[in-house]
Amino acid sequence: MPVVASGEHVGVLREVVLAWKRRGHTRLTPVLGTLLAASVCALDPGECVVLVPVPTTRRSRRRRGGDLVGQAAGHAAKVLADVGLPAMVVPALAIERQPRDQVGLGARERRANLDGALRRSPRVVLGTADVVLVDDVVTTGATLAEAVRVLAAGGTSVLGAAVVAARPAPTAARS
């Protein structure tokens, strides 16, 4: 599944994402929503797109004061509509069980941590629209893989994922 990020999770973009997620600068939501919209466009969706945000845990919701990814997805949908691409947000995923915080976990640990953590919500995804997962940052892809697995098990195919930022690929060790 293709994943499109607006940039690497380094430098200014990393600082903006961290200010939004960890320091309560929610006024950045429109900026990050616009970046998400650009990532969605890079996936080249058809005539209509459904944005499915990766769900936020209760712990993160409390700490951040809301579902920031869902709010950014809502802004992205408005931006997409303004440029002629009908878009809607459908929270088709929900938390089944509370996973551990992912910070500091490696790829294998993240996959194990997320195994069975998501479920389909009762929300219906339209069958004629292209479905795009949205999240703020992709690190190992474990969260997106679990989301695709859950949606596919319910018969929903996913065009790709749009994120604000991607962790840079590790550099090869030099000998």
Side-chain angles (χ1 to χ4, degrees):
M1 175 192 72
V3 178
V4 175
S6 292
E8 287 190 338
H9 194 240
V10 296
V12 172
L13 184 56
R14 180 179 184 276
E15 290 305 314
V16 168
V17 171
L18 291 176
W20 178 65
K21 285 174 67 170
R22 297 191 182 156
R23 295 191 290 272
H25 295 284
T26 57
R27 67 184 179 277
L28 293 168
T29 300
V31 173
L32 298 174
T34 301
L35 291 174
L36 271 178
S39 295
V40 171
C41 288
L43 288 166
D44 197 24
E47 295 180 13
C48 182
V49 65
V50 171
L51 306 179
V52 176
V54 170
T56 302
T57 64
R58 281 181 298 231
R59 179 177 51 245
S60 292
R61 241 181 238 265
R62 279 192 307 272
R63 190 173 57 236
R64 298 173 185 159
D67 177 5
L68 297 183
V69 172
Q71 293 166 13
H75 186 81
K78 289 177 188 166
V79 169
L80 292 168
D82 287 348
V83 298
L85 178 59
M88 66 175 57
V89 177
V90 176
L93 295 167
I95 302 289
E96 176 67 20
R97 65 166 179 78
Q98 295 294 312
R100 291 180 15 213
D101 190 340
Q102 300 267 85
V103 174
L105 299 181
R108 184 173 294 141
E109 295 166 311
R110 284 175 180 250
R111 281 191 304 274
N113 185 42
L114 289 167
D115 187 35
L118 301 179
R119 65 174 167 77
R120 282 188 69 105
S121 76
R123 303 289 176 97
V124 175
V125 176
L126 301 176
T128 59
D130 283 327
V131 175
V132 174
L133 287 171
V134 294
D135 205 356
D136 54 353
V137 178
V138 62
T139 305
T140 64
T143 303
L144 296 174
E146 177 67 3
V148 169
R149 184 194 66 75
V150 170
L151 290 172
T156 300
S157 64
V158 177
L159 174 67
V163 298
V164 172
R167 185 180 91 187
T171 56
R174 297 179 196 224
S175 40

